[in-house]
Amino acid sequence: MTKLSVNINKVATLRNARGGNVPDVVKVALDCERFGADGITVHPRPDERHIRKSDVNNLRPLLKTEFNIEGYPSPEFIDLVLKVKPHQVTLVPDSPTQLTSNAGWDTKSHFSFLSEVLDKFNNAGIRTSVFVDADPEMVEYAAKAGADRVELYTGPYAVAYSKDKAAAIAPFVGAGKAARSLGIGLNAGHDLSLENLNYFYQNIPWMDEVSIGHALICDALYLGLEHAIEEYKNCLR
Ligand code: PXP
């Protein structure tokens, strides 16, 4: 079964637009779980423009499903994750000012840094995942550095899907097979949507988890959160 982790950054963006606590990020996360999400993902950034450190702390004791914290492993991020001890940490190579993640790690050039950081999380018993492009070599070096999983950056798949879906999926199947043969887990995320998710799943059904935020929250405006989550779960069958 491929799990659906709902990324709730956008809910925090909406809350922060007005100050106050509407919508309530913790309540939305708990409702996502109630509506069938298998996990909750947050991406605390240094400027706290969406998820805040306090959200991370507030969510941890209340979530019943899998908690995934993603972000760039700065000293502050590492301290927060080691303190909160989520089920999974996903390392992303984005700079503090970046709008959103737009590439995976070069796991070969950053091998020593990643090995050192992964060691800290592995020793703390937190499952580790490294965000990579659909490139078997990047998957291989993530595994060598000690990652339990890779998360494939699916932005390029989403862009290419509407033109030629067979060509769009091909590199992801290759990278997914590399992960499987190396014996590590496989996640995927970024720009996955109701349009492109089922085809991705059908071609890589051994995936452990997808992490979806932007499109799901946008769909919830029309469908409602419960129905939107149901529809995304249906794409994973
Ligand atoms: N995975 C990672 C590493 C991300 O940074 C993001 C965006 O925060 C996602 C998945 C989810 O992407 P989207 O919001 O496009 O579904």
Side-chain angles (χ1 to χ4, degrees):
M1 180 192 135
T2 301
K3 291 183 169 179
L4 170 67
S5 185
V6 175
N7 179 318
I8 57 167
N9 290 350
K10 283 281 137 49
V11 178
T13 304
L14 191 56
R15 175 200 58 194
N16 297 353
R18 275 291 169 101
N21 196 34
V22 178
D24 179 336
V25 167
V26 172
K27 181 178 183 306
V28 171
L30 297 177
D31 285 337
C32 286
E33 291 186 322
R34 200 159 54 84
F35 298 149
D38 305 297
I40 299 294
T41 293
V42 295
H43 190 149
R45 292 177 188 268
D47 59 7
E48 300 200 316
R49 65 178 185 262
H50 37 66
I51 288 292
R52 301 175 182 143
K53 268 188 205 161
S54 54
D55 295 324
V56 177
N57 289 316
N58 293 340
L59 284 163
R60 180 63 180 111
L62 298 175
L63 294 181
K64 293 172 200 73
T65 60
E66 186 190 282
F67 192 23
N68 174 45
I69 305 181
E70 58 180 36
Y72 180 82
S74 62
E76 295 74 28
F77 178 86
I78 293 173
D79 285 350
L80 177 69
V81 173
L82 289 176
K83 194 180 107 211
V84 170
K85 284 196 192 299
H87 302 94
Q88 177 175 272
V89 60
T90 301
L91 307 185
V92 181
D94 57 354
S95 69
T97 54
Q98 210 159 303
L99 188 60
T100 182
S101 317
N102 61 2
W105 286 94
D106 181 339
T107 51
K108 201 172 173 184
S109 330
H110 295 100
F111 184 77
S112 318
F113 174 67
L114 286 171
S115 305
E116 218 175 279
V117 172
L118 288 167
D119 241 26
K120 288 185 186 155
F121 294 132
N122 289 334
N123 290 338
I126 301 167
R127 190 207 301 138
T128 52
S129 179
V130 172
F131 194 54
V132 293
D133 294 333
D135 175 344
E137 194 182 27
M138 294 301 119
V139 175
E140 184 191 335
Y141 277 86
K144 279 187 186 157
D148 297 310
R149 293 188 184 180
V150 285
E151 178 181 331
L152 300 179
Y153 169 49
T154 49
Y157 163 75
V159 171
Y161 178 85
S162 52
K163 290 179 210 103
D164 182 347
K165 56 187 180 179
I169 196 72
F172 291 85
V173 173
K177 283 182 177 165
R180 190 169 58 180
S181 68
L182 289 158
I184 60 168
L186 184 64
N187 296 344
H190 222 284
D191 298 315
L192 292 173
S193 68
L194 287 179
E195 190 197 350
N196 62 35
L197 179 60
N198 182 249
Y199 186 74
F200 197 87
Y201 169 72
Q202 279 180 2
N203 282 277
I204 316 176
W206 63 93
M207 232 179 347
D208 292 293
E209 179 182 295
V210 288
S211 151
I212 306 182
H214 185 80
L216 189 152
I217 300 299
C218 293
D219 287 328
L221 291 175
Y222 289 93
L223 304 173
L225 189 56
E226 180 168 10
H227 191 197
I229 290 175
E230 221 173 84
E231 293 281 305
Y232 277 82
K233 293 274 292 185
N234 284 339
C235 293
L236 297 170
R237 292 196 178 106

Short mmCIF file of all heavy atoms in Angstrom, two decimals, residues 5-10 41-43 45 50 68 70-71 90-94 99-103 130-132 151-155 188-193 210-217 232, ligand 1:
data_model
loop_
_atom_site.label_atom_id
_atom_site.label_comp_id
_atom_site.label_asym_id
_atom_site.label_seq_id
_atom_site.Cartn_x
_atom_site.Cartn_y
_atom_site.Cartn_z
N SER A 5 0.69 11.05 2.58
CA SER A 5 1.01 12.02 3.64
C SER A 5 0.58 13.39 3.14
O SER A 5 0.99 13.83 2.06
CB SER A 5 2.52 12.00 3.93
OG SER A 5 2.80 12.85 5.03
N VAL A 6 -0.27 14.05 3.90
CA VAL A 6 -0.77 15.37 3.48
C VAL A 6 0.14 16.46 4.03
O VAL A 6 0.37 16.54 5.24
CB VAL A 6 -2.23 15.59 3.94
CG1 VAL A 6 -2.70 17.00 3.60
CG2 VAL A 6 -3.16 14.55 3.31
N ASN A 7 0.67 17.27 3.11
CA ASN A 7 1.53 18.39 3.49
C ASN A 7 0.62 19.59 3.81
O ASN A 7 -0.14 20.03 2.94
CB ASN A 7 2.47 18.69 2.31
CG ASN A 7 3.39 19.85 2.59
OD1 ASN A 7 2.98 20.86 3.15
ND2 ASN A 7 4.64 19.74 2.16
N ILE A 8 0.71 20.08 5.03
CA ILE A 8 -0.23 21.13 5.48
C ILE A 8 0.40 22.54 5.50
O ILE A 8 -0.15 23.45 6.12
CB ILE A 8 -0.85 20.79 6.86
CG1 ILE A 8 0.25 20.57 7.91
CG2 ILE A 8 -1.76 19.57 6.76
CD1 ILE A 8 -0.28 20.53 9.34
N ASN A 9 1.51 22.71 4.77
CA ASN A 9 2.12 24.05 4.71
C ASN A 9 1.13 25.12 4.27
O ASN A 9 1.11 26.23 4.79
CB ASN A 9 3.27 24.08 3.69
CG ASN A 9 4.48 23.29 4.14
OD1 ASN A 9 4.55 22.86 5.27
ND2 ASN A 9 5.41 23.08 3.24
N LYS A 10 0.33 24.81 3.24
CA LYS A 10 -0.58 25.81 2.66
C LYS A 10 -1.62 26.26 3.67
O LYS A 10 -2.10 27.40 3.63
CB LYS A 10 -1.29 25.25 1.42
CG LYS A 10 -0.41 25.22 0.19
CD LYS A 10 -0.30 26.58 -0.48
CE LYS A 10 1.10 26.90 -0.92
NZ LYS A 10 1.82 25.94 -1.68
N THR A 41 2.73 15.88 6.74
CA THR A 41 4.07 16.43 6.46
C THR A 41 4.06 17.93 6.71
O THR A 41 3.10 18.62 6.38
CB THR A 41 4.45 16.17 4.98
OG1 THR A 41 4.62 14.77 4.78
CG2 THR A 41 5.74 16.88 4.60
N VAL A 42 5.15 18.40 7.31
CA VAL A 42 5.35 19.85 7.46
C VAL A 42 6.77 20.20 7.03
O VAL A 42 7.66 19.36 7.09
CB VAL A 42 5.14 20.32 8.92
CG1 VAL A 42 3.69 20.13 9.35
CG2 VAL A 42 6.09 19.63 9.89
N HIS A 43 6.94 21.44 6.61
CA HIS A 43 8.24 21.92 6.14
C HIS A 43 8.54 23.24 6.85
O HIS A 43 8.26 24.31 6.32
CB HIS A 43 8.19 22.11 4.62
CG HIS A 43 9.51 22.37 3.99
ND1 HIS A 43 9.80 21.96 2.70
CD2 HIS A 43 10.62 23.00 4.42
CE1 HIS A 43 11.04 22.33 2.39
NE2 HIS A 43 11.55 22.98 3.41
N ARG A 45 10.35 26.38 7.75
CA ARG A 45 11.47 27.13 7.16
C ARG A 45 11.94 28.17 8.17
O ARG A 45 11.19 28.56 9.06
CB ARG A 45 11.02 27.81 5.86
CG ARG A 45 10.72 26.82 4.76
CD ARG A 45 10.21 27.53 3.51
NE ARG A 45 9.75 26.58 2.51
CZ ARG A 45 10.52 26.10 1.55
NH1 ARG A 45 11.77 26.48 1.43
NH2 ARG A 45 10.03 25.23 0.67
N HIS A 50 5.36 29.72 6.68
CA HIS A 50 4.13 28.92 6.79
C HIS A 50 4.15 28.15 8.11
O HIS A 50 3.66 28.65 9.12
CB HIS A 50 3.85 28.06 5.55
CG HIS A 50 5.03 27.44 4.87
ND1 HIS A 50 5.79 26.48 5.45
CD2 HIS A 50 5.56 27.65 3.64
CE1 HIS A 50 6.73 26.12 4.61
NE2 HIS A 50 6.64 26.82 3.51
N ASN A 68 5.97 13.45 9.32
CA ASN A 68 7.16 13.63 8.50
C ASN A 68 7.56 15.10 8.52
O ASN A 68 6.75 15.97 8.19
CB ASN A 68 6.83 13.19 7.05
CG ASN A 68 7.95 13.47 6.07
OD1 ASN A 68 9.12 13.21 6.35
ND2 ASN A 68 7.60 14.00 4.91
N GLU A 70 10.10 17.80 6.87
CA GLU A 70 11.08 17.96 5.79
C GLU A 70 11.73 19.33 5.90
O GLU A 70 11.15 20.27 6.45
CB GLU A 70 10.40 17.79 4.43
CG GLU A 70 9.27 18.77 4.20
CD GLU A 70 8.59 18.63 2.85
OE1 GLU A 70 8.44 17.51 2.37
OE2 GLU A 70 8.19 19.67 2.31
N GLY A 71 12.95 19.42 5.38
CA GLY A 71 13.61 20.71 5.38
C GLY A 71 15.09 20.60 5.15
O GLY A 71 15.65 19.49 5.10
N THR A 90 12.78 14.23 6.21
CA THR A 90 13.15 14.26 4.79
C THR A 90 14.09 15.43 4.56
O THR A 90 13.72 16.58 4.83
CB THR A 90 11.89 14.39 3.90
OG1 THR A 90 11.03 13.28 4.17
CG2 THR A 90 12.26 14.40 2.42
N LEU A 91 15.28 15.14 4.08
CA LEU A 91 16.27 16.19 3.88
C LEU A 91 16.11 16.79 2.48
O LEU A 91 16.12 16.07 1.48
CB LEU A 91 17.68 15.62 4.03
CG LEU A 91 17.95 14.87 5.33
CD1 LEU A 91 19.42 14.45 5.41
CD2 LEU A 91 17.58 15.72 6.54
N VAL A 92 15.96 18.11 2.45
CA VAL A 92 15.70 18.84 1.21
C VAL A 92 16.82 19.88 1.04
O VAL A 92 17.18 20.55 2.01
CB VAL A 92 14.32 19.54 1.29
CG1 VAL A 92 14.00 20.27 0.02
CG2 VAL A 92 13.22 18.53 1.63
N PRO A 93 17.34 20.06 -0.19
CA PRO A 93 18.49 20.95 -0.35
C PRO A 93 18.15 22.40 -0.64
O PRO A 93 18.89 23.08 -1.32
CB PRO A 93 19.21 20.33 -1.57
CG PRO A 93 18.10 19.80 -2.39
CD PRO A 93 17.02 19.35 -1.43
N ASP A 94 17.00 22.90 -0.16
CA ASP A 94 16.62 24.25 -0.58
C ASP A 94 17.17 25.33 0.35
O ASP A 94 17.36 25.12 1.54
CB ASP A 94 15.10 24.37 -0.74
CG ASP A 94 14.35 24.00 0.53
OD1 ASP A 94 15.00 23.55 1.48
OD2 ASP A 94 13.13 24.19 0.54
N LEU A 99 11.24 29.72 -2.91
CA LEU A 99 9.78 29.69 -2.88
C LEU A 99 9.29 28.30 -2.51
O LEU A 99 8.42 28.11 -1.67
CB LEU A 99 9.26 30.10 -4.26
CG LEU A 99 7.76 30.32 -4.40
CD1 LEU A 99 7.29 31.41 -3.47
CD2 LEU A 99 7.43 30.66 -5.85
N THR A 100 9.84 27.29 -3.19
CA THR A 100 9.50 25.89 -2.90
C THR A 100 10.66 25.03 -3.41
O THR A 100 11.47 25.50 -4.20
CB THR A 100 8.16 25.50 -3.57
OG1 THR A 100 7.84 24.15 -3.23
CG2 THR A 100 8.21 25.63 -5.08
N SER A 101 10.72 23.79 -2.94
CA SER A 101 11.82 22.92 -3.37
C SER A 101 11.75 22.73 -4.89
O SER A 101 10.68 22.46 -5.42
CB SER A 101 11.69 21.54 -2.72
OG SER A 101 11.33 21.69 -1.38
N ASN A 102 12.88 22.88 -5.55
CA ASN A 102 12.82 22.73 -7.02
C ASN A 102 13.92 21.85 -7.59
O ASN A 102 14.18 21.89 -8.78
CB ASN A 102 12.83 24.10 -7.71
CG ASN A 102 14.10 24.87 -7.39
OD1 ASN A 102 14.97 24.36 -6.70
ND2 ASN A 102 14.21 26.08 -7.88
N ALA A 103 14.55 21.04 -6.74
CA ALA A 103 15.56 20.08 -7.20
C ALA A 103 15.91 19.16 -6.04
O ALA A 103 15.73 19.52 -4.87
CB ALA A 103 16.82 20.81 -7.66
N VAL A 130 15.86 11.10 1.73
CA VAL A 130 16.62 12.16 1.06
C VAL A 130 15.93 12.47 -0.27
O VAL A 130 15.64 11.57 -1.06
CB VAL A 130 18.09 11.70 0.83
CG1 VAL A 130 18.84 12.71 -0.04
CG2 VAL A 130 18.81 11.54 2.16
N PHE A 131 15.66 13.75 -0.47
CA PHE A 131 14.96 14.22 -1.67
C PHE A 131 15.94 14.24 -2.84
O PHE A 131 16.97 14.91 -2.78
CB PHE A 131 14.48 15.64 -1.36
CG PHE A 131 13.46 16.23 -2.28
CD1 PHE A 131 12.27 15.57 -2.55
CD2 PHE A 131 13.66 17.49 -2.82
CE1 PHE A 131 11.30 16.15 -3.37
CE2 PHE A 131 12.70 18.08 -3.64
CZ PHE A 131 11.52 17.41 -3.91
N VAL A 132 15.62 13.48 -3.89
CA VAL A 132 16.55 13.38 -5.04
C VAL A 132 15.78 13.48 -6.35
O VAL A 132 14.59 13.19 -6.42
CB VAL A 132 17.34 12.04 -5.04
CG1 VAL A 132 18.31 11.96 -3.88
CG2 VAL A 132 16.42 10.83 -5.09
N GLU A 151 13.13 10.30 -1.50
CA GLU A 151 11.88 10.87 -2.03
C GLU A 151 12.21 11.42 -3.40
O GLU A 151 13.07 12.30 -3.54
CB GLU A 151 11.35 11.99 -1.13
CG GLU A 151 10.06 12.60 -1.72
CD GLU A 151 9.47 13.75 -0.90
OE1 GLU A 151 9.65 13.77 0.34
OE2 GLU A 151 8.85 14.63 -1.51
N LEU A 152 11.55 10.90 -4.42
CA LEU A 152 11.80 11.38 -5.78
C LEU A 152 11.09 12.72 -6.00
O LEU A 152 9.88 12.85 -5.69
CB LEU A 152 11.30 10.37 -6.82
CG LEU A 152 11.96 8.98 -6.77
CD1 LEU A 152 11.35 8.07 -7.85
CD2 LEU A 152 13.47 9.05 -6.92
N TYR A 153 11.82 13.69 -6.52
CA TYR A 153 11.27 15.01 -6.83
C TYR A 153 10.46 14.91 -8.12
O TYR A 153 11.02 14.74 -9.22
CB TYR A 153 12.42 16.01 -6.97
CG TYR A 153 12.00 17.34 -7.55
CD1 TYR A 153 10.90 18.03 -7.06
CD2 TYR A 153 12.72 17.93 -8.59
CE1 TYR A 153 10.52 19.25 -7.60
CE2 TYR A 153 12.35 19.14 -9.14
CZ TYR A 153 11.25 19.79 -8.64
OH TYR A 153 10.86 21.00 -9.18
N THR A 154 9.15 15.00 -7.99
CA THR A 154 8.26 14.71 -9.12
C THR A 154 7.84 15.96 -9.92
O THR A 154 7.01 15.84 -10.83
CB THR A 154 7.01 13.95 -8.63
OG1 THR A 154 6.46 14.64 -7.50
CG2 THR A 154 7.33 12.53 -8.26
N GLY A 155 8.44 17.12 -9.61
CA GLY A 155 8.11 18.34 -10.37
C GLY A 155 8.25 18.14 -11.88
O GLY A 155 7.32 18.44 -12.65
N ALA A 188 7.72 9.84 -2.88
CA ALA A 188 7.70 10.76 -4.03
C ALA A 188 6.87 11.97 -3.67
O ALA A 188 5.94 11.87 -2.86
CB ALA A 188 7.11 10.07 -5.26
N GLY A 189 7.21 13.09 -4.26
CA GLY A 189 6.40 14.28 -4.01
C GLY A 189 6.83 15.49 -4.78
O GLY A 189 7.98 15.60 -5.21
N HIS A 190 5.91 16.38 -4.94
CA HIS A 190 5.98 17.70 -5.55
C HIS A 190 5.14 17.75 -6.81
O HIS A 190 5.40 17.00 -7.75
CB HIS A 190 7.40 18.16 -5.87
CG HIS A 190 7.58 19.62 -5.50
ND1 HIS A 190 7.07 20.63 -6.26
CD2 HIS A 190 8.13 20.20 -4.42
CE1 HIS A 190 7.33 21.78 -5.66
NE2 HIS A 190 7.96 21.56 -4.54
N ASP A 191 4.14 18.58 -6.78
CA ASP A 191 3.25 18.80 -7.93
C ASP A 191 2.45 17.57 -8.34
O ASP A 191 1.97 17.49 -9.48
CB ASP A 191 4.04 19.35 -9.13
CG ASP A 191 4.66 20.70 -8.83
OD1 ASP A 191 3.96 21.56 -8.26
OD2 ASP A 191 5.85 20.89 -9.13
N LEU A 192 2.33 16.61 -7.46
CA LEU A 192 1.44 15.49 -7.74
C LEU A 192 0.01 16.00 -7.57
O LEU A 192 -0.26 16.86 -6.72
CB LEU A 192 1.74 14.30 -6.81
CG LEU A 192 3.09 13.63 -7.08
CD1 LEU A 192 3.41 12.59 -6.02
CD2 LEU A 192 3.17 13.01 -8.48
N SER A 193 -0.89 15.47 -8.40
CA SER A 193 -2.26 16.01 -8.43
C SER A 193 -3.25 14.91 -8.80
O SER A 193 -2.85 13.79 -9.16
CB SER A 193 -2.35 17.12 -9.48
OG SER A 193 -2.20 16.54 -10.77
N VAL A 210 3.51 8.92 -0.82
CA VAL A 210 3.56 10.18 -1.56
C VAL A 210 3.22 11.30 -0.58
O VAL A 210 2.43 11.11 0.34
CB VAL A 210 2.59 10.22 -2.76
CG1 VAL A 210 3.06 9.34 -3.89
CG2 VAL A 210 1.16 9.89 -2.35
N SER A 211 3.86 12.45 -0.81
CA SER A 211 3.61 13.59 0.06
C SER A 211 3.04 14.70 -0.81
O SER A 211 3.67 15.12 -1.79
CB SER A 211 4.96 13.96 0.69
OG SER A 211 5.03 15.31 0.98
N ILE A 212 1.81 15.13 -0.49
CA ILE A 212 1.10 16.04 -1.40
C ILE A 212 0.49 17.19 -0.60
O ILE A 212 -0.20 16.98 0.40
CB ILE A 212 -0.01 15.29 -2.17
CG1 ILE A 212 0.60 14.08 -2.90
CG2 ILE A 212 -0.70 16.23 -3.17
CD1 ILE A 212 -0.37 13.28 -3.74
N GLY A 213 0.74 18.41 -1.07
CA GLY A 213 0.22 19.59 -0.39
C GLY A 213 -0.58 20.49 -1.30
O GLY A 213 -1.81 20.51 -1.27
N HIS A 214 0.12 21.21 -2.15
CA HIS A 214 -0.49 22.31 -2.91
C HIS A 214 -1.77 21.90 -3.64
O HIS A 214 -2.83 22.51 -3.44
CB HIS A 214 0.54 22.88 -3.89
CG HIS A 214 0.06 24.09 -4.61
ND1 HIS A 214 0.07 25.34 -4.06
CD2 HIS A 214 -0.49 24.22 -5.84
CE1 HIS A 214 -0.45 26.20 -4.93
NE2 HIS A 214 -0.79 25.54 -6.00
N ALA A 215 -1.68 20.88 -4.49
CA ALA A 215 -2.84 20.52 -5.31
C ALA A 215 -3.98 20.00 -4.44
O ALA A 215 -5.15 20.32 -4.69
CB ALA A 215 -2.43 19.47 -6.35
N LEU A 216 -3.65 19.26 -3.41
CA LEU A 216 -4.71 18.68 -2.55
C LEU A 216 -5.47 19.78 -1.81
O LEU A 216 -6.70 19.77 -1.74
CB LEU A 216 -4.08 17.68 -1.57
CG LEU A 216 -5.04 16.82 -0.75
CD1 LEU A 216 -4.36 15.49 -0.38
CD2 LEU A 216 -5.53 17.49 0.50
N ILE A 217 -4.73 20.75 -1.29
CA ILE A 217 -5.41 21.83 -0.56
C ILE A 217 -6.23 22.68 -1.53
O ILE A 217 -7.35 23.12 -1.22
CB ILE A 217 -4.38 22.69 0.23
CG1 ILE A 217 -3.61 21.81 1.25
CG2 ILE A 217 -5.05 23.88 0.91
CD1 ILE A 217 -4.46 21.13 2.31
N TYR A 232 -7.72 11.49 -3.53
CA TYR A 232 -6.27 11.21 -3.65
C TYR A 232 -5.98 9.76 -3.25
O TYR A 232 -5.16 9.09 -3.85
CB TYR A 232 -5.43 12.21 -2.83
CG TYR A 232 -5.20 13.50 -3.59
CD1 TYR A 232 -6.18 14.49 -3.62
CD2 TYR A 232 -4.05 13.69 -4.34
CE1 TYR A 232 -5.99 15.65 -4.35
CE2 TYR A 232 -3.87 14.85 -5.09
CZ TYR A 232 -4.83 15.82 -5.08
OH TYR A 232 -4.65 16.97 -5.84
N1 PXP B 1 8.12 17.01 -1.02
C1 PXP B 1 8.94 18.04 -0.73
C2 PXP B 1 10.35 17.74 -0.37
C3 PXP B 1 8.49 19.36 -0.74
O1 PXP B 1 9.31 20.39 -0.44
C4 PXP B 1 7.12 19.60 -1.04
C5 PXP B 1 6.60 21.02 -1.00
O2 PXP B 1 6.67 21.52 0.28
C6 PXP B 1 6.31 18.50 -1.33
C7 PXP B 1 6.83 17.22 -1.33
C8 PXP B 1 4.86 18.67 -1.67
O3 PXP B 1 4.74 19.34 -2.89
P1 PXP B 1 3.33 19.92 -3.35
O4 PXP B 1 2.96 20.98 -2.37
O5 PXP B 1 3.59 20.44 -4.73
O6 PXP B 1 2.35 18.77 -3.33
#
